[in-house]
Amino acid sequence: MPGHVTPAALVRLSRPACGQPAQPSPATWQHGRVTAATHSTLFPQAPDSADAVLEGLDPEQREVATALHGPVCVLAGAGTGKTRAITHRIAYGVRAGILQPSSVLAVTFTNRAAGEMRGRLRQLGAAGVQARTFHSAALRQLQYFWPKAIGGSMPRLVDRKIQLVADAAAACRIRLDRGELRDVTAEIEWSKVTQTVPADYALAAAKAGREAPRDAAETAQIYNVYEDLKRDRSVIDFEDVLLLTVGILQDRHDIADQVRSQYQHFVVDEYQDVSPLQQRLLELWLGERDNLCVVGDASQTIYSFTGATPDHLLDFRTRHPGATVVKLVRDYRSTPQVVHLANGLLAQARGRAADHRLELISQRTPGPEPVYCEYTDEPAEAEGAARRIRELMGSGVPASEIAILFRTNSQSETYEQALADAGIPYQLRGAERFFDRPEVRKAGIALRGAARFGGNDSLLDDAVDLPSQVRAVLSGEGWTTEPPAGSGAVRERWESLAALVNLAQDFAAARPGATLADLVAELDERANAQHAPTVQGVTLASLHSAKGLEWDVVFLVGVAEGMMPITYAKTDEQVEEERRLLYVGVTRAREHLHVSWALTRAPGGRANRRPSRFLDGLRPGSTATASRTAAGNAGGIERGFTSRPEAVTPRRTQRTPARCRVCGRTLTDAGEMKLMRCEDCPSDMDEGLYERLREWRGVQARLSGQPDFCVFTDRTLMAIAEAEPTSPVELSRIPGVLKRKLERYGADVLAICAGQELEEGVEGE
C-alpha cells in the first residue's frame, strides 16, 4: 500500500521508511546525559573532595545527596538521574566522613543494576560500600549465619526450579504442557514472595484477581508437593533465601542485632518493585532505626505479576511522617518530543499510581517528532524496521544505539530474521551475560596469561602499546580487523572480542601508561560488577527486560490491541500496568522514537487489528478515549515534620510545569514559557496593542535612563498583548511581570490594554 512518510504523522504502508536521520545527542547544560553504566566506556577520575562529589548535580539531586539522616523518599521520573543522585548521596556521605563504607547497604533488583551502582561508587571514590540485590544480600547473610542459627551445612541452592515443579506435578499425576509448567512455577514464586502457604493459595489468588493456569486446588497441590520435594532433596530456591533469612532474623534477636550493628544506613533502588517479603526483610534489617533512603517511580511499576507493589513507595510518608520527599522531574535522557508523548500516555491513566504520576520536563534540545507506522502484516513491519535501521546506521548511528522493543519474547524471531536478511548485527537482551560468554572467558584467560608471561610471547614482539597488545592477543582467539560476513554465532563471537578491543582503547586513552595487567584488573572488576562494554549490534529486547536501559533510537513494535495491552489483561489494574509498560518503552528513547503496528499477523491474513488504545489522542488522526485534567506532580522538596501525617504540608515546592495554551504541550524554553505557547503555535496577539505597549516602554526607558528591556522584554510585551489582562491579578500571572514591576507599571499597562490614553511623558507610578 504505497504512501509517504511524515514525522509525527500516521503512515499507512506495507514497506515504509519512517522518521528522519539521527543526530548526535548533545550534552545538557548541567552534567551531560544520564546513562546506564553499560552505555559508557569512560574511566573518569574520582572527585578530589566531598564537595567535588556534589558538582554538576541539579538542585533536587543535590538535596538527595546531602540528606544523609532520617528517612528520605526520592520520587524519580524516567531519565531524571536517580542512580546518579543516590550514588552521589552515598559517595558524599563517605567522602565527608559521615558514613562508614562498611555500614552502608544499597539494594536493588537486578545484578546489572547492582553492578552499575558499584561501578559508579568506585568511580566516585566510595569503594567498600555493599551494593547488592535483595537475594544476594540475603544469601550472604544466610550462608554466614546458617551454622549458628540452624547448624550443619546449608542446603544447595537450585538455579532453576522448573524441573522440580515438573516432578511435583508428576507426583500429583497432573500433566502440564510447557506453558502451564512455566505458569504454575510463576504462581509458586508469587505465593512465596507474598508469604502465601499452599493451604491459602486458592483464597489469596482469588482475592488478588490472578488467573490460575490450572484449577486453583491443583496448583495448591503441586505447590505443596514441590515444598515436600525440596525438603526431601535438601535443596532451596531463591524465594527460600529471603524466607529463611526473614525467619532467622525474626527468631534470633542476637543475629538480628549483629546484622544491624554492621549495617546502619540503607538505600533501596526501584522501591516500587518491592514485594511484601522483601519489605519484611528490609524492616528486619532496619529494626527501630530510620536511616533509610528509598527511590522509585510508581509509573514504572511493571512487575506486579511477581508480587511487586508500589504501595510501599506511595505509603512511605504515612509510615514515616518525618520523611523528606524529593521529586526528580528534570529529564536529561529524552527530547521534549519523546517526553511529551510519555507525559501524554500517563495523562490518560487511572488508578492510585496515576494519581502520583510525575510530570517530566525535558532538559534536552528539541528533536524529531515520534513517528507512527502502520503495516499490512508482521513480516512487513519487521522488514520496515530493518530498512529504517540500515538508513540510520548509514547516517552514522551506531548499531549499539538502536533497540527494537516488543511485548513478548515470541515476537523476537521475526525481527531476528529481518535483521539477518538485511545484514544487520544484533544482540538479544536477556541472553547470557557478557562476561559469561565462552569467548569472553577464553579471552580473559589469554589476556591474563599474556600479562604474566608476555615477555616470552612472540605475538607481542611488535606490540608497542596496550591496544596493540590486546589486538595481538585476541587475534589468536578469532578477532580480526574486519568483521566476518553475515550474522549468527560467528559474528556474535567477533562482536564480543571487538568490544574488548574497544574497551582497551578507551582504557589506554583514559589511563596513559596503563599495562596489560591493569586492564586485566579492570576486566575483573567489571565482571564482578557485570559492567559490560558496549557490543556493536542492534538490541532486541522485551519491554520488561529493557527497563533501566536507554538508546538513541527505539523502535516500539507490535503496538496493537491484543498485544498492547496484552489479550489476557482483563481488569482495570492489569490494563493500567500495560499502559505503564508502554510508558517504560517510550522513555527508553533519547532522540528517535518509532511506534508501529501491523493489521494482521501473517501475509494474506484478515486485517482486523487496530492500533493500541493507549495511542488514542496521541497519534495523529486519533481522538482520546479518556482524559485526566489533573496535572502531574511537579519537582521539588517536601521536608518532614514530627507531627501527624495528615498535618504534614510541603515547605518548598516548584511551580506546576507550564503548558502551551494552544496545544497543551509542556513548555521548557524560557521564551515560550513567557508567551505560554509554543513558538510555532498560532498567535492571537493584538498587533496594535503591542505597538502601543512598545511606544510606552520607550518613554519609560528614557525617563529612567535604562535600556528598553529593563522595563519589559519584547516577549513579555507580546505575552501581555496576547493575554490582554483586565486586572492586576491577570497581569501578575504573565511570566516576566514581577511584583516590583506590577506595582510600578501595572496601572499604565492595564490602562493601555483597556484602550485608554496616557498622559505623555509621565512615568508610571
Side-chain angles (χ1 to χ4, degrees), residues 658-726:
R659 293 178 177 275
C660 174
R661 54 191 169 82
V662 180
C663 70
R665 173 175 295 175
T666 300
L667 302 176
T668 57
D669 178 77
E672 291 182 342
M673 291 171 72
K674 278 196 174 184
L675 294 176
M676 293 305 291
R677 64 172 174 83
C678 302
E679 188 74 50
D680 51 0
C681 278
S683 169
D684 53 358
M685 183 178 69
D686 183 329
E687 297 284 352
L689 174 57
Y690 177 66
E691 289 304 320
R692 292 195 299 275
L693 287 168
R694 280 174 56 87
E695 292 173 6
W696 165 84
R697 180 184 66 176
V699 172
Q700 300 305 316
R702 288 194 301 274
L703 289 173
S704 60
Q706 59 186 349
D708 287 8
F709 68 82
C710 289
V711 180
F712 285 121
T713 65
D714 285 346
R715 282 191 180 270
T716 299
L717 293 185
M718 290 175 65
I720 293 172
E722 290 185 356
E724 298 186 49
T726 59

Coordinates of all heavy atoms in Angstrom, one line a residue, residues 658-726:
A658 N 4.8 24.6 33.0 CA 4.0 25.4 32.2 C 3.6 24.6 30.9 O 4.3 23.8 30.4 CB 4.8 26.7 31.7
R659 N 2.3 24.9 30.5 CA 1.8 24.2 29.3 C 1.4 25.3 28.2 O 0.9 26.3 28.6 CB 0.6 23.3 29.6 CG 0.9 22.2 30.5 CD -0.3 21.4 30.8 NE 0.0 20.2 31.6 CZ 0.3 19.0 31.1 NH1 0.5 18.9 29.8 NH2 0.6 18.0 31.8
C660 N 1.6 24.9 27.0 CA 1.1 25.7 25.9 C -0.4 25.9 25.9 O -1.1 24.9 26.0 CB 1.6 25.1 24.5 SG 0.9 26.0 23.1
R661 N -0.9 27.1 25.9 CA -2.3 27.3 26.0 C -3.0 27.0 24.7 O -4.3 27.0 24.6 CB -2.6 28.8 26.4 CG -2.0 29.8 25.5 CD -2.1 31.2 26.2 NE -1.3 32.2 25.5 CZ -1.7 32.8 24.4 NH1 -2.9 32.6 23.8 NH2 -0.9 33.7 23.8
V662 N -2.3 26.7 23.6 CA -2.9 26.4 22.3 C -2.9 24.8 22.1 O -4.0 24.3 21.9 CB -2.1 27.0 21.1 CG1 -2.7 26.6 19.8 CG2 -2.0 28.5 21.3
C663 N -1.8 24.2 22.3 CA -1.7 22.7 22.0 C -1.6 21.9 23.3 O -1.7 20.7 23.2 CB -0.6 22.4 21.1 SG 1.1 22.6 21.8
G664 N -1.3 22.5 24.4 CA -1.2 21.8 25.7 C 0.1 21.1 26.0 O 0.3 20.5 27.0
R665 N 1.1 21.3 25.1 CA 2.4 20.7 25.3 C 3.2 21.3 26.5 O 3.0 22.5 26.7 CB 3.3 20.8 24.0 CG 4.7 20.4 24.2 CD 5.5 20.4 22.9 NE 4.9 19.4 22.0 CZ 5.3 19.3 20.7 NH1 6.3 20.1 20.2 NH2 4.8 18.4 19.9
T666 N 4.0 20.5 27.2 CA 4.8 21.1 28.3 C 5.8 22.0 27.7 O 6.5 21.6 26.8 CB 5.4 20.0 29.1 OG1 4.4 19.1 29.7 CG2 6.3 20.5 30.2
L667 N 6.0 23.2 28.3 CA 7.0 24.2 27.8 C 8.2 24.1 28.6 O 8.1 24.1 29.9 CB 6.4 25.6 27.8 CG 5.1 25.8 27.0 CD1 4.5 27.2 27.2 CD2 5.3 25.5 25.5
T668 N 9.4 24.1 28.0 CA 10.7 24.1 28.7 C 11.5 25.3 28.3 O 12.4 25.8 29.1 CB 11.5 22.9 28.4 OG1 11.6 22.7 27.0 CG2 10.7 21.6 28.9
D669 N 11.3 25.9 27.1 CA 12.0 27.1 26.7 C 11.5 28.3 27.5 O 10.3 28.6 27.6 CB 11.9 27.3 25.2 CG 12.6 28.5 24.7 OD1 13.8 28.5 24.6 OD2 11.9 29.6 24.5
A670 N 12.5 29.2 28.0 CA 12.1 30.3 28.8 C 11.2 31.3 28.0 O 10.2 31.8 28.5 CB 13.3 31.0 29.3
G671 N 11.6 31.5 26.7 CA 10.8 32.4 25.9 C 9.4 31.9 25.6 O 8.4 32.7 25.7
E672 N 9.3 30.6 25.4 CA 7.9 30.0 25.2 C 7.1 30.1 26.4 O 5.9 30.3 26.4 CB 8.1 28.6 24.7 CG 8.6 28.5 23.3 CD 8.7 27.0 22.8 OE1 8.6 26.1 23.7 OE2 8.8 26.8 21.6
M673 N 7.8 29.9 27.6 CA 7.1 29.9 28.9 C 6.5 31.3 29.1 O 5.5 31.5 29.7 CB 8.0 29.5 30.0 CG 8.3 28.0 29.9 SD 9.6 27.5 31.1 CE 8.7 27.6 32.6
K674 N 7.2 32.4 28.7 CA 6.7 33.7 28.8 C 5.4 33.9 28.0 O 4.5 34.5 28.4 CB 7.7 34.8 28.4 CG 8.8 35.1 29.5 CD 9.5 36.3 29.2 CE 10.4 36.7 30.4 NZ 11.1 38.0 30.2
L675 N 5.5 33.4 26.8 CA 4.3 33.5 25.9 C 3.2 32.6 26.2 O 2.1 32.7 25.8 CB 4.7 33.3 24.4 CG 5.7 34.3 23.8 CD1 6.1 33.8 22.4 CD2 5.1 35.7 23.8
M676 N 3.5 31.5 27.0 CA 2.6 30.5 27.4 C 2.1 29.8 26.1 O 0.9 29.3 26.1 CB 1.4 31.0 28.2 CG 1.8 31.5 29.6 SD 2.7 30.3 30.6 CE 1.3 29.1 30.9
R677 N 2.9 29.7 25.1 CA 2.6 28.9 23.9 C 3.9 28.5 23.2 O 4.9 29.1 23.5 CB 1.7 29.7 23.0 CG 2.3 30.9 22.4 CD 1.4 31.5 21.3 NE 2.0 32.8 20.9 CZ 3.0 32.9 20.0 NH1 3.5 31.9 19.4 NH2 3.4 34.2 19.6
C678 N 3.8 27.5 22.4 CA 5.0 27.1 21.6 C 5.3 28.1 20.6 O 4.4 28.9 20.1 CB 4.7 25.7 20.9 SG 4.3 24.4 22.0
E679 N 6.5 28.2 20.2 CA 7.0 29.3 19.3 C 6.2 29.2 17.9 O 5.9 30.2 17.3 CB 8.5 29.1 19.0 CG 9.1 30.2 18.2 CD 9.3 31.5 19.0 OE1 9.8 31.4 20.1 OE2 8.8 32.5 18.5
D680 N 5.9 27.9 17.5 CA 5.3 27.8 16.2 C 3.8 27.6 16.3 O 3.1 27.4 15.3 CB 5.9 26.6 15.4 CG 5.9 25.3 16.2 OD1 5.5 25.4 17.4 OD2 6.4 24.3 15.7
C681 N 3.2 27.7 17.5 CA 1.7 27.7 17.6 C 1.2 29.1 17.2 O 1.8 30.1 17.4 CB 1.3 27.4 19.0 SG 1.3 25.6 19.4
P682 N 0.0 29.1 16.6 CA -0.5 30.4 16.1 C -0.7 31.4 17.3 O -1.1 31.1 18.4 CB -1.9 30.0 15.5 CG -2.2 28.7 16.1 CD -0.9 28.0 16.4
S683 N -0.4 32.7 17.0 CA -0.5 33.8 17.9 C -1.8 34.5 17.7 O -2.2 34.7 16.5 CB 0.7 34.7 17.8 OG 0.4 35.9 18.5
D684 N -2.5 35.0 18.8 CA -3.7 35.8 18.6 C -3.4 37.2 19.2 O -4.3 37.8 19.8 CB -4.9 35.1 19.4 CG -4.5 34.8 20.8 OD1 -3.4 35.0 21.2 OD2 -5.4 34.3 21.5
M685 N -2.2 37.6 19.0 CA -1.8 38.9 19.6 C -2.4 40.1 18.8 O -2.6 40.1 17.6 CB -0.2 39.1 19.4 CG 0.3 40.3 20.0 SD 2.1 40.4 19.9 CE 2.3 40.6 18.1
D686 N -2.8 41.1 19.6 CA -3.3 42.3 19.1 C -2.1 43.2 18.7 O -1.4 43.8 19.6 CB -4.2 43.0 20.2 CG -4.8 44.3 19.7 OD1 -4.3 45.0 18.8 OD2 -5.9 44.7 20.2
E687 N -1.9 43.3 17.4 CA -0.7 44.0 16.9 C -0.7 45.5 17.3 O 0.3 46.0 17.7 CB -0.6 43.9 15.4 CG -0.4 42.5 14.8 CD 1.0 41.9 15.0 OE1 1.8 42.7 15.5 OE2 1.2 40.8 14.8
G688 N -1.9 46.1 17.2 CA -2.0 47.5 17.6 C -1.6 47.7 19.1 O -0.9 48.6 19.5
L689 N -2.1 46.8 20.0 CA -1.8 46.9 21.4 C -0.3 46.7 21.6 O 0.3 47.4 22.5 CB -2.7 45.8 22.1 CG -2.4 45.7 23.6 CD1 -2.6 47.0 24.4 CD2 -3.2 44.6 24.2
Y690 N 0.2 45.8 20.9 CA 1.7 45.5 21.1 C 2.5 46.8 20.7 O 3.4 47.1 21.4 CB 2.1 44.3 20.2 CG 3.6 44.0 20.2 CD1 4.2 43.6 21.3 CD2 4.3 44.2 19.1 CE1 5.5 43.3 21.4 CE2 5.7 43.9 19.1 CZ 6.3 43.5 20.2 OH 7.7 43.2 20.2
E691 N 2.1 47.4 19.6 CA 2.9 48.6 19.3 C 2.7 49.8 20.3 O 3.6 50.5 20.6 CB 2.4 49.1 17.9 CG 2.9 48.2 16.7 CD 4.4 48.0 16.7 OE1 5.1 49.0 17.0 OE2 4.8 46.9 16.5
R692 N 1.5 49.9 20.8 CA 1.3 50.9 21.9 C 2.1 50.6 23.1 O 2.6 51.6 23.7 CB -0.2 51.0 22.2 CG -1.1 51.6 21.1 CD -2.5 52.0 21.6 NE -3.3 50.9 22.2 CZ -4.0 50.0 21.5 NH1 -4.1 50.2 20.1 NH2 -4.7 49.1 22.0
L693 N 2.2 49.4 23.5 CA 3.0 49.0 24.6 C 4.5 49.3 24.4 O 5.2 49.7 25.3 CB 2.8 47.5 24.9 CG 1.4 47.1 25.6 CD1 1.2 45.6 25.6 CD2 1.3 47.7 27.0
R694 N 4.9 49.0 23.1 CA 6.3 49.3 22.8 C 6.6 50.8 22.9 O 7.7 51.2 23.4 CB 6.7 48.8 21.4 CG 6.9 47.2 21.4 CD 7.1 46.8 19.9 NE 8.2 47.5 19.2 CZ 9.5 47.1 19.3 NH1 9.8 46.1 20.0 NH2 10.4 47.8 18.6
E695 N 5.7 51.6 22.4 CA 5.9 53.1 22.5 C 6.0 53.5 23.9 O 6.8 54.3 24.3 CB 4.8 53.8 21.7 CG 4.8 53.6 20.2 CD 3.6 54.2 19.5 OE1 2.8 54.8 20.2 OE2 3.4 54.0 18.3
W696 N 5.0 53.0 24.7 CA 5.0 53.4 26.1 C 6.3 52.9 26.8 O 6.9 53.7 27.6 CB 3.8 52.7 26.8 CG 3.9 52.7 28.3 CD1 3.5 53.7 29.1 CD2 4.3 51.6 29.1 NE1 3.7 53.3 30.4 CE2 4.2 52.1 30.5 CE3 4.9 50.4 28.9 CZ2 4.6 51.3 31.5 CZ3 5.2 49.6 29.9 CH2 5.1 50.0 31.3
R697 N 6.8 51.7 26.5 CA 8.0 51.2 27.1 C 9.2 52.1 26.8 O 10.0 52.4 27.6 CB 8.3 49.8 26.6 CG 9.6 49.2 27.2 CD 9.9 47.8 26.6 NE 10.2 47.9 25.2 CZ 10.6 46.8 24.5 NH1 10.6 45.7 25.1 NH2 10.8 47.0 23.2
G698 N 9.3 52.6 25.5 CA 10.3 53.5 25.2 C 10.4 54.8 26.0 O 11.4 55.3 26.4
V699 N 9.2 55.3 26.3 CA 9.1 56.5 27.1 C 9.6 56.2 28.5 O 10.4 57.0 29.1 CB 7.6 57.0 27.1 CG1 7.5 58.2 28.2 CG2 7.2 57.5 25.8
Q700 N 9.1 55.1 29.1 CA 9.5 54.7 30.4 C 11.1 54.5 30.5 O 11.7 54.9 31.5 CB 8.8 53.5 30.9 CG 7.3 53.6 30.9 CD 6.8 54.8 31.8 OE1 7.3 55.0 32.9 NE2 5.9 55.5 31.2
A701 N 11.6 53.9 29.5 CA 13.1 53.6 29.5 C 13.8 54.9 29.5 O 14.8 55.1 30.2 CB 13.4 52.8 28.3
R702 N 13.4 55.9 28.7 CA 14.1 57.2 28.6 C 14.0 57.9 29.9 O 15.0 58.5 30.4 CB 13.5 58.0 27.5 CG 13.9 57.6 26.1 CD 13.6 58.6 25.0 NE 12.2 59.0 25.0 CZ 11.3 58.3 24.3 NH1 11.6 57.3 23.5 NH2 10.0 58.8 24.3
L703 N 12.8 57.9 30.5 CA 12.7 58.6 31.8 C 13.5 58.0 32.9 O 14.0 58.7 33.8 CB 11.2 58.5 32.2 CG 10.2 59.4 31.4 CD1 8.8 59.1 31.8 CD2 10.5 60.9 31.6
S704 N 13.7 56.7 32.9 CA 14.5 56.0 33.9 C 16.0 55.9 33.6 O 16.8 55.4 34.4 CB 13.9 54.7 34.3 OG 13.9 53.8 33.1
G705 N 16.3 56.2 32.3 CA 17.7 56.2 31.9 C 18.3 54.7 31.8 O 19.4 54.5 32.1
Q706 N 17.4 53.8 31.3 CA 17.9 52.4 31.2 C 17.4 51.8 29.9 O 16.5 52.4 29.3 CB 17.3 51.6 32.4 CG 15.8 51.6 32.5 CD 15.3 50.9 33.8 OE1 16.1 50.3 34.4 NE2 14.0 51.1 34.1
P707 N 18.0 50.7 29.5 CA 17.5 50.1 28.2 C 16.1 49.7 28.3 O 15.5 49.4 29.3 CB 18.4 48.9 28.1 CG 19.6 49.1 29.0 CD 19.1 50.0 30.1
D708 N 15.5 49.6 27.0 CA 14.1 49.2 27.0 C 13.7 47.9 27.7 O 12.7 47.8 28.4 CB 13.6 49.1 25.5 CG 13.5 50.5 24.8 OD1 13.9 51.5 25.4 OD2 13.0 50.5 23.7
F709 N 14.6 46.9 27.5 CA 14.3 45.6 28.0 C 14.3 45.5 29.5 O 13.7 44.6 30.1 CB 15.3 44.5 27.5 CG 16.7 44.6 28.0 CD1 17.1 44.1 29.2 CD2 17.7 45.3 27.2 CE1 18.4 44.3 29.7 CE2 19.0 45.4 27.7 CZ 19.3 44.9 29.0
C710 N 14.9 46.6 30.2 CA 14.8 46.6 31.7 C 13.4 47.0 32.2 O 13.1 46.7 33.3 CB 15.8 47.6 32.2 SG 17.5 47.1 32.0
V711 N 12.6 47.6 31.3 CA 11.2 47.8 31.7 C 10.4 46.5 31.5 O 9.9 45.9 32.4 CB 10.6 49.0 30.8 CG1 9.2 49.2 31.2 CG2 11.4 50.2 31.0
F712 N 10.3 46.1 30.3 CA 9.7 44.8 29.9 C 10.4 44.3 28.7 O 10.7 45.1 27.8 CB 8.2 44.8 29.7 CG 7.4 45.0 30.9 CD1 6.5 46.1 31.1 CD2 7.4 44.0 31.9 CE1 5.8 46.2 32.2 CE2 6.6 44.1 33.0 CZ 5.8 45.2 33.2
T713 N 10.7 43.0 28.6 CA 11.3 42.4 27.3 C 10.2 42.4 26.2 O 9.0 42.5 26.5 CB 11.8 41.0 27.6 OG1 10.7 40.2 27.9 CG2 12.8 41.0 28.7
D714 N 10.7 42.2 25.0 CA 9.7 42.1 23.9 C 8.8 40.9 24.1 O 7.6 41.0 23.8 CB 10.5 41.9 22.6 CG 11.2 43.1 22.1 OD1 10.8 44.2 22.6 OD2 12.0 43.0 21.2
R715 N 9.3 39.8 24.6 CA 8.4 38.6 24.8 C 7.3 38.9 25.9 O 6.2 38.4 25.7 CB 9.2 37.4 25.1 CG 9.9 36.8 23.9 CD 10.5 35.4 24.2 NE 11.2 34.8 23.1 CZ 10.5 34.0 22.2 NH1 9.3 33.8 22.3 NH2 11.2 33.5 21.2
T716 N 7.7 39.6 26.9 CA 6.7 39.9 27.9 C 5.6 40.8 27.3 O 4.5 40.6 27.6 CB 7.4 40.6 29.1 OG1 8.4 39.7 29.7 CG2 6.4 40.9 30.2
L717 N 6.0 41.8 26.5 CA 5.0 42.7 25.9 C 4.1 41.9 24.9 O 2.9 42.1 24.9 CB 5.7 43.8 25.1 CG 6.5 44.8 26.0 CD1 7.0 46.0 25.1 CD2 5.6 45.4 27.1
M718 N 4.7 40.9 24.2 CA 3.9 40.0 23.3 C 2.9 39.2 24.2 O 1.8 39.1 23.8 CB 4.8 39.1 22.5 CG 5.7 39.8 21.5 SD 6.8 38.7 20.7 CE 5.7 37.6 19.8
A719 N 3.4 38.7 25.3 CA 2.5 37.9 26.1 C 1.4 38.8 26.7 O 0.2 38.3 26.8 CB 3.3 37.3 27.3
I720 N 1.7 40.0 27.0 CA 0.6 40.9 27.5 C -0.4 41.2 26.4 O -1.6 41.2 26.6 CB 1.3 42.3 28.0 CG1 2.1 42.0 29.3 CG2 0.2 43.3 28.3 CD1 2.9 43.2 29.8
A721 N 0.2 41.5 25.2 CA -0.7 41.8 24.0 C -1.6 40.6 23.7 O -2.7 40.8 23.1 CB 0.1 42.3 22.8
E722 N -1.1 39.4 23.9 CA -1.9 38.2 23.6 C -2.9 38.0 24.7 O -4.1 37.6 24.4 CB -1.0 37.0 23.5 CG -0.1 37.0 22.2 CD 0.7 35.7 22.1 OE1 0.6 34.9 22.9 OE2 1.4 35.6 21.0
A723 N -2.6 38.2 26.0 CA -3.5 37.9 27.1 C -4.5 39.0 27.3 O -5.6 38.8 27.8 CB -2.7 37.7 28.4
E724 N -4.1 40.3 27.0 CA -5.0 41.4 27.2 C -5.6 41.4 28.6 O -6.8 41.3 28.8 CB -6.1 41.5 26.2 CG -5.6 41.7 24.7 CD -6.7 41.9 23.7 OE1 -7.5 42.8 24.0 OE2 -6.7 41.2 22.7
P725 N -4.8 41.5 29.7 CA -5.3 41.4 31.0 C -6.2 42.6 31.4 O -6.0 43.7 30.9 CB -4.0 41.4 31.9 CG -3.0 42.1 31.0 CD -3.3 41.7 29.6
T726 N -7.1 42.3 32.2 CA -8.1 43.4 32.6 C -8.0 43.7 34.1 O -8.7 44.5 34.6 CB -9.5 42.9 32.3 OG1 -9.8 41.7 33.0 CG2 -9.7 42.7 30.8

